[in-house]
Amino acid sequence: MWKYQPFLPLLSKANRISMGEGQTPLVKSRSIGPALGIPDLYFKLENLNPTGSYKDRFASAFVSMMKSRKQDLCIATSSGNTGAALAAYCAAANIRCIITVVDGAPDAKIKQMQVYGASMFMVKDFGKDPELSAEVFSLLNSFALSLDLPLPVSAYCYCPEGMQGVQTIAYEIFEQTANAVRHIFCPAGGGGLTLSLAKGVMEYGHRYQLSGLPRVHCVQPEGNDTMAGPLRNKENVAVQRARSTTAVSGLQVPNVLDGNEVITACRSLGGTGYAVTDTEVFNWHKKMAQQEGIFCEPAGAVALAGLALAVEKGEVADGEQVVCLVTGSGFKDMLTVEKQFSLPALEAIDKAAFAVWIEKMKKGKI
């Protein structure tokens, strides 16, 4: 990630905390793309970052900044992936980490934070109820300010320096596609990732004087549609929801956060919004695993659900190169796997029964 130093906060090499984040693979779809009529569909595998999500880019930039300021305590809030990334990078930097997670954060993500040594709190309805969430956040922010510490939230409205690390996804996509990409589909909760991609596209395009920049599209679950709908409906302001109702973990952010800026940035690039159902997301989640061999968390399938809707609407032209963001590893939300995949229980059988099975296989009876 730090190869893009001209685009990142100016920090000495001694203060950069890096664990190999960035330079994630861009893999061409073998099955789903052709089936959708998009032969040039690619998946950007951010699930292959060190802690399993794109948030490692944010954590690397943010924790490096903390180290440069000689800060030895990180107070954070997270729905899961940001906390896991911060916990890991703080461990590497020898910085104590205290995280307040949203109510209902996947247990696998909580355990991951704890493994890295973070101290944990969960507040009832935090991340679900906007008013309560604002109150909890205000308490955390006041606490951090009293200690003269930043409060890391993966959103531009709070941590623009950290989000510069996330912008490197766009630079990599340009290089990996030789500037040929025409559409980038991105999942959104509070909008930070989508805004990062849009800003990255514009900054990289400006620096290298590129023409025909890709469209960046914002995809959200219908149960948390704060900006995708307004973007599509030619409105300029994101809408705060009374409560997030989507079951897609990590995208349950009913507050606006970067929403207004997302609408402006996507629209300036010719992008639009797509609101998809949870059913569609879980359907593509399973197809990605079983048809492409890509095991992501459900949020990582949201971009593909948006692309499928765009194809249905005739909004992606034949032959255009498309990239879908795969944001996090499937191992972070195994409870959803248990609920959605209907996987059979595996029981041990004796050798005789196994031998019978082998014989049936030989005779083509199974």
Side-chain angles (χ1 to χ4, degrees):
M1 185 184 88
W2 289 94
K3 67 176 280 189
Y4 302 107
Q5 179 59 71
F7 295 96
L8 294 169
L10 185 60
L11 297 169
S12 68
K13 287 185 178 180
N15 288 319
R16 295 177 199 167
I17 304 299
S18 175
M19 298 195 296
E21 64 290 329
Q23 299 303 315
T24 55
L26 189 70
V27 176
K28 189 171 185 177
S29 171
R30 294 175 172 85
S31 177
I32 293 174
L36 287 173
I38 309 294
D40 283 329
L41 169 62
Y42 291 81
F43 297 108
K44 181 64 168 163
L45 302 185
E46 288 296 294
N47 56 312
L48 299 183
N49 276 297
T51 76
S53 87
Y54 80 90
K55 296 295 180 73
D56 289 345
R57 299 174 187 262
F58 172 85
S60 179
F62 184 84
V63 175
S64 295
M65 187 176 63
M66 289 193 72
K67 183 174 173 61
S68 73
R69 296 172 180 172
K70 302 187 183 329
Q71 293 167 331
D72 59 5
L73 173 63
C74 177
I75 299 168
T77 174
S78 174
S79 62
N81 286 337
T82 300
L86 286 170
Y89 282 75
C90 281
N94 195 28
I95 293 174
R96 185 186 177 196
C97 189
I98 302 173
I99 303 172
T100 301
V101 295
V102 301
D103 188 5
D107 189 61
K109 294 181 181 180
I110 292 172
K111 290 290 190 292
Q112 188 181 12
M113 295 179 226
Q114 291 173 322
V115 163
Y116 294 131
S119 300
M120 307 292 300
F121 295 94
M122 180 185 288
V123 180
K124 185 174 176 57
D125 283 335
F126 178 47
K128 295 179 179 179
D129 181 301
E131 185 175 340
L132 182 139
S133 298
E135 292 172 357
V136 172
F137 186 84
S138 178
L139 284 171
L140 287 169
N141 195 43
S142 296
F143 179 40
L145 286 174
S146 71
L147 299 175
D148 196 26
L149 293 173
L151 183 64
V153 178
S154 54
Y156 277 92
C157 56
Y158 294 113
C159 297
E161 299 94 345
M163 295 306 290
Q164 285 180 275
V166 182
Q167 288 182 205
T168 59
I169 298 173
Y171 314 148
E172 291 174 21
I173 290 174
F174 272 118
E175 294 177 359
Q176 291 169 323
T177 64
N179 304 336
V181 60
R182 297 276 63 88
H183 298 270
I184 301 175
F185 285 80
C186 180
L193 174 59
T194 309
L195 185 56
S196 291
L197 284 167
K199 280 179 171 287
V201 164
M202 289 186 282
E203 289 189 16
Y204 195 91
H206 176 73
R207 178 177 288 267
Y208 296 106
Q209 299 183 321
L210 302 178
S211 59
L213 297 178
R215 299 180 179 186
V216 176
H217 305 291
C218 173
V219 189
Q220 288 190 288
E222 288 182 349
N224 196 77
D225 180 9
T226 57
M227 64 198 93
L231 175 57
R232 171 163 289 276
N233 296 330
K234 308 272 192 296
E235 297 167 6
N236 298 320
V237 179
V239 180
Q240 178 166 301
R241 300 298 174 186
R243 192 177 184 91
S244 176
T245 58
T246 178
V248 180
S249 66
L251 301 186
Q252 299 152 326
V253 188
N255 304 79
V256 170
L257 297 186
D258 289 326
N260 295 335
E261 290 74 18
V262 167
I263 291 172
T264 300
C266 287
R267 187 168 290 146
S268 70
L269 289 168
T272 188
Y274 295 92
V276 296
T277 67
D278 282 9
T279 299
E280 291 168 332
V281 171
F282 293 131
N283 178 49
W284 287 113
H285 178 229
K286 182 181 290 187
K287 286 185 176 181
M288 287 179 69
Q290 298 182 347
Q291 296 180 20
E292 299 284 355
I294 297 173
F295 182 37
C296 62
E297 61 179 339
V302 167
L304 178 57
L307 170 60
L309 185 55
V311 170
E312 182 182 314
K313 292 176 177 291
E315 295 176 350
V316 176
D318 183 43
E320 290 185 312
Q321 192 172 104
V322 178
V323 171
C324 284
L325 265 289
V326 179
T327 49
S329 169
F331 293 108
K332 287 175 170 285
D333 192 357
M334 292 301 293
L335 181 59
T336 294
V337 170
E338 293 176 15
K339 291 179 179 178
Q340 299 297 328
F341 278 66
S342 300
L343 301 176
L346 184 62
E347 297 180 358
I349 60 175
D350 60 30
K351 186 177 70 174
F354 184 63
V356 170
W357 180 83
I358 291 290
E359 288 303 314
K360 288 183 178 179
M361 284 291 290
K362 287 179 179 179
K363 295 175 181 178
K365 293 182 179 180
I366 297 179

